[in-house]
Amino acid sequence: MRHLLVSASVIVGMGGIAHAQDTSSTPPSGQPDRDISALQDETQPAAQDDASAGGEILVTGYRRSIEQSLTQKREANAFVDVITAEDVGKFPDKNVADSLQRVPGVIIDRDGGEGSRVSIRGLSSDLTLTELNGNFIASADSGDPSRSFNYLLLPSSLIGSVEVFKSPEARLDEGGVGGVIINHTREPFDLEPWSGSFSAEGTYADVTEKVEPNLSGLVSWHNEDKTLGFLVGATYQVRTNRTLSASASSWQWWTDDKASQPATDVNGNGFANDSAVSYWNSGADAGTTTRDGTHYSGYWAPQSVGTNIFNQERKRLGIQATAQMRPFDNLEITANYFRFQLNGDYTSNTIKIPEWGYGNFFTGATFDRSGTILTGAKFEVPPEGTGCRVPGNLCTMETPAPQNTYVREKSVSNTYDARGTWELDRLKVDFVVGKTKAKGGPSFQFYAQAKPRNGTVNGNELSAWNFTDQSIAMQFSPDVLQNMLNGVAQIDLGSTGSGFTNSTISQRYAQVDVTRKFDSPFLDSLQAGVKWRDGRIHRETGRFEWYSDAANTLRFQDTPGGALALPEFFYPNSLGNIAGGFESTAFPALNIQQYIGYLNETYNGPVRVPEPQNLYNIEERIWAGYAQLNFKTSNVRGNIGVRVVNTKQSGVSTDQIIYENDYCQNGPGGAFDPNKPKGEDGNCLVIPEKDRQDRVFSPNAEGKSYTDVLPSFNISWDVTPDLLVRAAASKVISRPGYGDLAGSRSLTFNADPFVFDRAEFGARPGWFGNGGNFALKPFSAWQYDVGVEWYFRPGSVLGATLFRKDVSDFIVPVVIDLSQEVAGETVTVQQYSTQANGTSAVSQGVEVYAQHTLDFGLGAQVNFTYNDTSQAAVSLNGTEVGESPLVGSAKTQVNASIFYERGPILLRASYNRRGEVVRGLSSGLNVYDDPYEQVDLNAAFEVFQNLQITASIINLTKSEQRQHLGNDTKDRFISNEYAGRRAYLGFAYKF
């Protein structure tokens, strides 16, 4: 990988040396922004003419696309990066987000190995505004709604170009503190009549060992006079993702006495925000003792460790239908319809070792070098007749606990718009009306957990875990699976059930822009416009149940035989093909679909049980107006403007409070008598849910309104025909996420009788939960940019940009024990997950980039970003809960691509490395993504004109994504994920 980076740098350097002998260059035109797709298509015939007339090398394919992107960047007034498709239906990468990660200052989050969320210059993905042809695209996933766009929905084959605005202009929509990404689709008038493309490829991954198809096509027509045209495009993909991961959750400080032995880092230093640290058992008598009497106190430990195999069977569909017409010479109208759909069947297989075994089975531990972090634990069942294996008190080891989830999900995004341009002399009017709507979430969801025991018979004698090189290795008895298949297994009914959240996001919009051109040596044009947006967010929750009676009143989990675990419920062999992510001597797993089939045959269900009391309906209305003056002289150009935005948010959300009052039927001595009556499955007789649990729904009506004034200034100076200097200053905002437009909470109270019955499965007394924070303020920042760009040859550049953001009210996810008022009482909610505002912070850094192609076809693109963010206080409900850098920030990022394109051959190798990324606060400490690097390979061979064979290898390096807690060490392991190495082979035909 270092060789690739060095090679790319050498190629660029060779270009600079060559420039000493050839300083010819073409100055930028200084013309206003144009549609990049159209500009790209217009340049190809010109390039061919130049080649035939002057004997120059014909620039096509990938090289033409990156040189056209550079031209667009050079001519822009603002700080803009551009990506253009190599040809119709041929985007540089398999995924738009994967291409965006090669832009300086851009990092991405991955889902199943594909880019899904995009962050710019060290700010979270919720602070990046993604648009389609200049307007918001709605996307909805499982769980709470989000402003962040999921790029898994967006087929790259339908995209002609992408603009990344790092400095705003008044004419652009507000909402992206990090930046604004505008995806441009193609239009009929941009292409030749009856032109188009078709591609087909197969993909293979080492984690799935499957070959699956990906098809896409596009056809465009317009009449000779360009008064009417139509374009239709579609893409269809079948893909199985298999992610292998390990995790350690809920890190807390375990101590005998919080006062005398408070939490420390690995250097022995205490924490200024000790109140934000989570202490096991509230910091009292929380030390642990092994069976041989060794006692441990004063250390960090996770509550649970686990390994997971996550299978996603996805089908992706993308459709574009565009009509374009010119009824008059000065009026052009375009109508678009886009449908992006993602269907998925997801199966999650988890085995975990929670803290349940510390009482009876704990036999050993390992620690880091400081002695303050538990890095491994061993649990063994004592010999018969000793310890807890004596008559009358026969204990059982409940681990490993196979937990399996099945989800059937569908996400659909539909966008309709009509836009037009009317021109008269120096006056131009643009207008657009449209609607975008997305709906997503599970149509079905169910989870179940088993345990390797039956009554007092153990199916597993050993459970052990150790952190190994930022991952986990697990060890179990070699016969654990066979014992479970032989009947030594039960379903843990308390960890079996269903719960889903479906979201709908919609926005209607209308906009009018007026541009007046001037024939002036300074004033180029004056723009003004107004935009209206009406957004609606709806969320509904519920569950699926199976009942044992015709009246649908008694859940199967509440019946005496509900815990029955037949051998056919389990896979006959341990899950295999563990190509990365973790190690385990065994991986027993429920065949969740087989188990669901049994429930369907045995009980009445599944019955969908909605929760209409859990209201969540939010409205967001936005009015925005702007004025922008564009200026230019012979060598200076830019714009100055102001955007005024009024935002009104209102709606209803609901607090959901669950009281877990009890679980098992009482023994003769009452709720705390261990001699509970047992059913035929060996478990305690369970009190029906309706008699042991109370659910309270408390609606909240909320509303607020605020106005922002957002000035912006951009200037570009052509110092020489080859040297360009830029500067920008502006104020930007991002609104809180949709999940925080409402302050609804989901809280659970575990009463002492419930904890007594469920203690062996990790139940703890008191309050737990999560919720939004309606009091969050909009994220705002003043930002400043200064850059220099040296275009030393056509299609080549060497540049640098200094940037700074002075941020106010940034938003940080936190997990903390927090005092809350619930039902008129002030209580402590443990491990409460929410969002908090930071005070003020600074994000500043530098981007350095270069691009050059040698005459014989060897070229390179290199960029490096350094981003330094300050620590800032984070407050919740007026109380400081810690300090954090800006969430989503990475200190360094490097991209390097080296390619060779000559004649029919294209070869490209790309290297991406991003440094450590800051996430939210947990137990008073920041979560960090470890540095991540990846190499991708792409190749193409033109068999004959217009037919090309393509091949790619994604994640050649078999890289894994990891997280840890705290900035003093990586030993507080949080997660590790391997999504596989993937290969593509196919063909592309253009006509």
Side-chain angles (χ1 to χ4, degrees), residues 530-563:
V530 63
K531 186 165 189 176
W532 165 81
R533 283 159 284 178
D534 184 7
R536 307 292 173 97
I537 302 96
H538 171 72
R539 185 185 69 188
E540 58 185 38
T541 61
R543 63 190 188 276
F544 292 90
E545 300 284 12
W546 283 261
Y547 296 98
S548 62
D549 62 326
N552 289 351
T553 59
L554 187 64
R555 302 160 63 244
F556 87 92
Q557 295 99 320
D558 301 331
T559 61

Side-chain angles (χ1 to χ4, degrees), residues 12 16 70 723 788-792 796-800 848-851:
V12 174
L70 194 59
L723 189 65
V788 58
E789 301 163 16
W790 178 35
Y791 295 90
F792 54 88
S796 301
V797 69
L798 179 63
V848 181
Y849 52 90
Q851 175 179 310

Side-chain angles (χ1 to χ4, degrees), residues 286-310:
T288 54
T289 304
T290 62
R291 289 210 324 250
D292 66 5
T294 304
H295 186 71
Y296 303 104
S297 176
Y299 60 92
W300 289 93
Q303 183 179 351
S304 177
V305 297
T307 56
N308 177 268
I309 299 175
F310 186 56

Side-chain angles (χ1 to χ4, degrees), residues 280 303 354-356 750 754-755 758-765 768:
W280 186 255
Q303 183 179 351
E355 88 291 349
W356 306 342
N750 293 337
F754 175 85
V755 174
R758 297 288 298 172
E760 61 183 319
F761 305 114
R764 297 163 60 195
F768 300 86

Side-chain angles (χ1 to χ4, degrees), residues 6 28 33 49 116 124 131 173 193 266 298 336 479 491 517 541 543 563-564 631 679 873:
V6 170
D33 295 342
D49 292 343
S116 58
S124 74
E131 297 189 321
D173 285 352
V266 295
N336 291 299
D479 57 354
I491 301 297
K517 296 284 291 182
T541 61
R543 63 190 188 276
L564 181 66
F631 57 88

Side-chain angles (χ1 to χ4, degrees), residues 53-380:
E56 297 179 5
I57 296 172
L58 176 63
V59 178
T60 60
Y62 178 74
R63 179 178 174 183
R64 181 167 68 92
S65 75
I66 62 172
E67 292 188 1
Q68 181 56 53
S69 297
L70 194 59
T71 299
Q72 188 73 15
K73 173 184 177 70
R74 183 178 185 178
E75 295 180 352
N77 289 334
F79 285 84
V80 182
D81 287 286
V82 182
I83 304 169
T84 57
E86 298 174 39
D87 215 324
V88 179
K90 288 175 60 182
F91 211 67
D93 291 275
K94 302 299 179 185
N95 175 289
V96 175
D98 287 339
S99 285
L100 285 168
Q101 74 171 326
R102 311 196 194 288
V103 171
V106 172
I107 63 174
I108 65 172
D109 295 329
R110 298 177 185 275
D111 181 352
E114 284 189 278
S116 58
R117 311 279 178 180
V118 175
S119 305
I120 300 176
R121 286 183 174 172
L123 299 175
S124 74
S125 58
D126 268 354
L127 303 178
T128 299
L129 177 62
T130 296
E131 297 189 321
L132 185 67
N133 295 324
N135 290 287
F136 171 71
I137 326 172
S139 69
D141 307 310
S142 179
D144 288 337
S146 170
R147 292 189 191 274
S148 176
F149 180 73
N150 187 350
Y151 278 84
L152 295 178
L153 284 170
L154 187 63
S156 62
S157 61
L158 299 182
I159 300 302
S161 63
V162 181
E163 293 175 291
V164 181
F165 282 86
K166 296 176 181 175
S167 67
E169 298 183 11
R171 64 185 176 87
L172 299 176
D173 285 352
E174 76 295 333
V177 168
V180 178
I181 298 174
I182 303 178
N183 296 274
H184 295 279
T185 57
R186 296 182 181 274
E187 296 179 349
F189 292 171
D190 297 340
L191 306 173
E192 293 296 318
W194 293 117
S195 63
S197 67
F198 176 77
S199 67
E201 64 182 1
T203 177
Y204 172 86
D206 61 348
V207 289
T208 63
E209 299 181 338
K210 288 183 177 181
V211 177
E212 294 168 309
N214 185 10
L215 306 173
S216 64
L218 181 146
V219 62
S220 178
W221 170 88
H222 63 75
N223 62 9
E224 185 176 352
D225 297 330
K226 281 193 176 182
T227 58
L228 183 65
F230 299 96
L231 181 150
V232 177
T235 182
Y236 176 74
Q237 180 193 73
V238 176
R239 176 165 173 163
T240 300
N241 291 328
R242 188 168 184 262
T243 302
L244 310 171
S245 62
S247 63
S249 61
S250 187
W251 280 89
Q252 301 184 50
W253 183 259
W254 297 53
T255 180
D256 290 331
D257 181 56
K258 176 179 179 180
S260 62
Q261 199 177 41
T264 70
D265 63 15
V266 295
N267 301 309
N269 301 314
F271 297 99
N273 59 323
D274 185 77
S275 61
V277 174
S278 296
Y279 283 81
W280 186 255
N281 199 38
S282 301
D285 301 321
T288 54
T289 304
T290 62
R291 289 210 324 250
D292 66 5
T294 304
H295 186 71
Y296 303 104
S297 176
Y299 60 92
W300 289 93
Q303 183 179 351
S304 177
V305 297
T307 56
N308 177 268
I309 299 175
F310 186 56
N311 293 293
Q312 302 173 302
E313 296 181 2
R314 297 200 301 221
K315 294 181 180 179
R316 179 162 53 197
L317 175 68
I319 296 174
Q320 175 187 356
T322 299
Q324 200 169 12
M325 61 201 75
R326 189 177 288 120
F328 307 104
D329 289 343
N330 64 343
L331 177 63
E332 185 176 294
I333 297 174
T334 304
N336 291 299
Y337 167 67
F338 301 97
R339 180 181 178 90
F340 306 132
Q341 180 174 320
L342 187 65
N343 292 13
D345 280 13
Y346 305 153
T347 303
S348 175
N349 306 282
T350 301
I351 52 174
K352 59 183 180 179
I353 305 177
E355 88 291 349
W356 306 342
Y358 285 115
N360 296 313
F361 309 112
F362 187 33
T363 58
T366 59
F367 289 84
D368 74 326
R369 284 181 293 181
S370 74
T372 63
I373 299 175
L374 184 72
T375 59
K378 189 175 184 179
F379 306 95
E380 297 175 278

